[in-house]
Amino acid sequence: MIQISQRPYPTDTTQQLIDTGIAPLLARIYAARGISNVTQLDTGLKYLLPFTQLKNVQKMACLLADAIATKRKMLIVADYDADGATACAVGLRGLRLLGAQVDFIVPNRFEYGYGLTPEIVRLAAQSTPDILITVDNGIASVEGVAEANRLGIQVLVTDHHLPGDTLPDALCIVNPNQPGCDFPSKNLAGVGVIFYVLLALRAELRARGAYSEQAEPNLGKLLDLVALGTVADVVKLDENNRILVQQGLQRIRAMRACCGINALLRVASKNHAQASSYELGFVVGPRLNAAGRLEDMSLGIACLISDDVTEADKIAAQLDTLNHTRRNIEADMQQAALAALEHITPTDSCSLALFDETWHQGVIGILASRLKDLYHRPVIAFARSLNGEIKGSGRSIQALHLRDALDLVSKRHPHLLHKFGGHAMAAGLSLREENFDEFKAAFEAVAQSLLSPADLTKIIETDGQLAPSEFTLSIARSLEQQVWGQGFPQPFFEGEFIVISQRIVGEKHLKLELKLSPSSAAYDAIHFFCVDHMPANIRAVFNLAINEYNGNVNLQLILRHWKQ
């Protein structure tokens, strides 16, 4: 069941924002998202939270500065998603700018799984590093850090995931979510954490006189990568993250991004000058993620660290091909999942757990996300792994914290889960294949204890109706320039429309002409991945967009949902 609901907004705050010169529509939108002061919209770098508030960051900066001074070998251990890849690229580029001798290794998800495992440590040891630096992983790597310590390799952990009951015995840990860290933003992505470490390291090197006779490295040139990883990891875009993303987007729009990001935009036929958080999350991010999902994320990292335009274009083309393959695999898996669900009624349960021996490990997370959106329930999809294990990837709805739910399953059934981890909206786990049915029942029991019927009703929140005078290109452009995302949602609007015409384009999209009334202006509209014939009058949820085609620039409504 789907409900359309207008997002509430405080009228007094809205008026205060209007009084500062913000347009009434934007003031209403901002007030509904918790903006009470115009300074909260300021995205200048000077408004970034200071690195000094991040626990252990200055200690880590000292350790890294010492390592640079003594020419110790560092090896970054990355994760195989877009956050991990961008964090690795930021770490490599930044540390090299600051004088470090550093390389990287990224686990192949099919051979080694996630994080700093003992197996990865032993593989890393073959290149004789003095220091391992984790990015976007490590906070749960108790056994891996222990193995590194046994081999005499120091470990510095940079991560943002929630810690377990026991922290690894690393030389230093920087993670805004570790116990005792008072950093105001708990929403930094892994790439944001390593960026903050670099800021602290540069300050430490400055204090040691490293830049008394030479210019300081400009770490701002890494913000395009920080923006990409932050958006792609779907972390909450609080004020601090919005600054990081906006600054990165400004570099991308000004054609000052790294060769890899520019190449990924080109291969997708996207104009860098109009780049927004949408392009980062739904165009560049998926192509980068395709490497880690189907092959090896070292290909994606190679794209991001390349300074050769020709090489970056070549790798971007490979990533684009992999992404098309990923889409085909995903479509087949979704068809199989929907076929399996034909015999049951998903709405009779509070959760969905699905396993198919033919499913691809690298794509189960996307499948879980699609099914979660379709049925508005927490979903975990499993694929066969090695040695009788299956691996699951889950996605959740707002009302259920997925990692905490898995923690409850683990406590109630200590024998079930071999490993699990993640955060509120996404998590991963592994268990024995023969225990799948038992896990399915245990997860459903936990979901039932945590969710109410109201939680399972999908609510589409809108920012209300638009006046006819607000259907303009200038308003659409103002909205597209803002950073929207998790926790700071893109504005959707609702309205009653007359359907003037409709036709199918590209075999799977519905192109429409809509009017607010018989005498009003007509608006171009499109409903992607929908070919259902619409009645003469509809109530629609939509957002404003700018459509550029053959040199013409027009306002377009993108329909998100409709009903009679």
Side-chain angles (χ1 to χ4, degrees):
M1 183 176 178
I2 297 177
Q3 290 183 3
I4 300 174
S5 174
Q6 182 174 344
R7 188 177 283 110
Y9 61 94
T11 54
D12 54 343
T13 302
T14 302
Q15 188 58 52
Q16 290 170 18
L17 293 172
I18 292 172
D19 292 341
T20 65
I22 295 177
L25 174 62
L26 292 176
R28 186 177 90 207
I29 290 169
Y30 292 144
R33 286 154 181 76
I35 300 297
S36 58
N37 191 301
V38 69
T39 58
Q40 292 175 271
L41 297 169
D42 216 317
T43 55
L45 284 174
K46 66 180 180 180
Y47 296 102
L48 267 184
L49 292 169
F51 64 78
T52 52
Q53 296 185 40
L54 201 52
K55 181 180 179 179
N56 292 337
V57 75
Q58 289 168 292
K59 175 185 176 182
M60 189 174 287
C62 288
L63 291 168
L64 289 169
D66 291 343
I68 291 171
T70 55
K71 298 186 176 358
R72 302 184 76 197
K73 288 173 63 178
M74 307 178 199
L75 187 68
I76 293 174
V77 182
D79 185 20
Y80 42 65
D81 67 359
D83 186 18
T86 53
C88 183
V90 165
L92 276 170
R93 286 181 174 276
L95 286 169
R96 287 172 179 171
L97 277 173
L98 297 169
Q101 181 182 348
V102 60
D103 209 334
F104 80 94
I105 185 172
V106 58
N108 182 298
R109 78 161 74 207
F110 311 111
E111 294 180 48
Y112 295 100
Y114 168 79
L116 185 70
T117 61
E119 294 80 8
I120 279 296
V121 170
R122 289 190 285 272
L123 182 64
Q126 294 176 15
S127 59
T128 63
D130 299 300
I131 299 172
L132 297 180
I133 304 169
T134 71
V135 292
D136 193 33
N137 74 94
I139 197 64
S141 301
V142 175
E143 295 176 355
V145 172
E147 179 67 5
N149 291 338
R150 187 185 71 81
L151 295 173
I153 305 172
Q154 295 178 335
V155 180
L156 305 180
V157 170
T158 75
D159 201 353
H160 71 123
H161 293 96
L162 296 173
D165 295 332
T166 303
L167 293 179
D169 187 23
L171 186 62
C172 188
I173 299 174
V174 176
N175 181 337
N177 290 301
Q178 70 176 306
C181 184
D182 297 324
F183 194 71
S185 171
K186 302 299 182 183
N187 304 301
L188 278 179
V191 69
V193 176
I194 188 63
F195 180 72
Y196 263 85
V197 169
L198 293 172
L199 293 177
L201 174 56
R202 184 179 62 179
E204 176 62 25
L205 293 173
R206 181 191 305 132
R208 296 186 183 194
Y211 308 119
S212 58
E213 297 181 0
Q214 60 178 319
E216 290 186 5
N218 177 17
L219 297 180
K221 64 173 62 176
L222 304 174
L223 284 165
D224 56 332
L225 293 164
V226 177
L228 171 57
T230 299
V231 172
D233 209 44
V234 203
V235 293
K236 182 178 180 180
L237 293 186
D238 57 18
E239 291 172 39
N240 205 60
N241 278 339
R242 291 203 304 275
I243 293 172
L244 293 171
V245 173
Q246 185 64 50
Q247 288 290 326
L249 282 171
Q250 287 174 8
R251 293 193 66 84
I252 294 169
R253 291 165 183 162
M255 205 57 181
R256 290 187 291 140
C258 66
C259 290
I261 288 179
N262 287 335
L264 288 166
L265 285 169
R266 274 195 299 274
V267 79
S269 301
K270 295 296 181 181
N271 184 352
H272 67 273
Q274 270 80 50
S276 68
S277 49
Y278 174 85
E279 277 71 31
L280 296 183
F282 296 97
V283 176
V284 179
R287 285 167 172 79
L288 187 60
N289 268 325
R293 294 191 184 281
L294 299 187
E295 290 193 3
D296 191 317
M297 186 47 95
S298 57
L299 183 67
I301 294 170
C303 185
L304 298 180
I305 63 175
S306 175
D307 291 319
D308 183 277
V309 174
T310 302
E311 180 188 39
D313 281 338
K314 180 180 177 181
I315 300 173
Q318 292 177 262
L319 294 172
D320 188 57
T321 299
L322 281 174
N323 193 49
H324 282 292
T325 302
R326 186 271 304 167
R327 286 178 183 171
N328 292 333
I329 293 171
E330 176 201 338
D332 290 343
M333 288 168 57
Q334 185 165 333
Q335 187 175 5
L338 294 176
L341 291 171
E342 283 181 358
H343 307 294
I344 63 174
T345 305
T347 52
D348 289 342
S349 63
C350 292
S351 68
L352 286 174
L354 301 162
F355 165 61
D356 189 310
E357 61 186 30
T358 67
W359 285 350
H360 194 292
Q361 270 189 53
V363 188
I364 50 176
I366 299 177
L367 175 64
S369 181
R370 299 284 190 265
L371 295 176
K372 180 265 297 183
D373 291 342
L374 186 61
Y375 296 111
H376 195 65
R377 271 146 179 74
V379 177
I380 303 179
F382 288 86
R384 184 170 280 167
S385 183
L386 301 173
N387 303 317
E389 277 195 348
I390 57 176
K391 289 187 177 180
S393 185
R395 299 294 184 269
S396 193
I397 58 177
Q398 199 68 43
L400 185 133
H401 192 296
L402 191 53
R403 188 207 170 275
D404 288 354
L406 292 176
D407 190 46
L408 272 177
V409 171
S410 179
K411 285 180 169 61
R412 294 179 183 179
H413 306 268
H415 67 287
L416 263 185
L417 304 186
H418 289 186
K419 292 180 182 178
F420 71 94
H423 44 83
M425 303 302 287
L429 66 156
S430 62
L431 51 93
R432 298 293 301 175
E433 185 173 329
E434 63 264 26
N435 290 338
F436 170 71
D437 288 335
E438 185 181 354
F439 168 79
K440 183 177 180 179
F443 184 58
E444 173 64 17
V446 167
Q448 286 184 11
S449 70
L450 297 175
L451 295 170
S452 69
D455 293 329
L456 298 173
T457 298
K458 184 175 183 178
I459 297 176
I460 300 178
E461 287 193 309
T462 78
D463 288 282
Q465 298 188 12
L466 292 177
S469 61
E470 292 172 328
F471 286 81
T472 66
L473 276 171
S474 62
I475 287 178
R477 190 167 284 111
S478 296
L479 294 175
E480 286 196 350
Q481 289 298 307
Q482 180 56 263
V483 172
W484 310 108
Q486 183 72 22
F488 201 72
Q490 177 185 9
F492 290 166
F493 306 101
E494 59 182 285
E496 305 282 344
F497 292 99
I498 302 170
V499 178
I500 303 300
S501 67
Q502 54 186 305
R503 59 189 173 90
I504 296 173
V505 295
E507 298 183 354
K508 53 187 176 181
H509 313 301
L510 196 63
K511 184 81 171 173
L512 306 111
E513 189 177 16
L514 305 177
K515 284 188 173 185
L516 291 170
S517 68
S519 59
S520 74
Y523 306 111
D524 287 335
I526 191 165
H527 196 336
F528 291 113
F529 304 105
C530 174
V531 294
D532 298 334
H533 183 83
M534 294 190 185
N537 295 278
I538 60 170
R539 181 186 180 194
V541 175
F542 64 95
N543 63 280
L544 297 180
I546 298 172
N547 184 35
E548 296 186 26
Y549 185 72
N550 286 341
N552 296 317
V553 180
N554 298 301
L555 179 71
Q556 186 174 63
L557 313 188
I558 298 180
L559 301 195
R560 303 290 180 167
H561 176 71
W562 68 273
K563 63 180 184 179
Q564 283 186 279

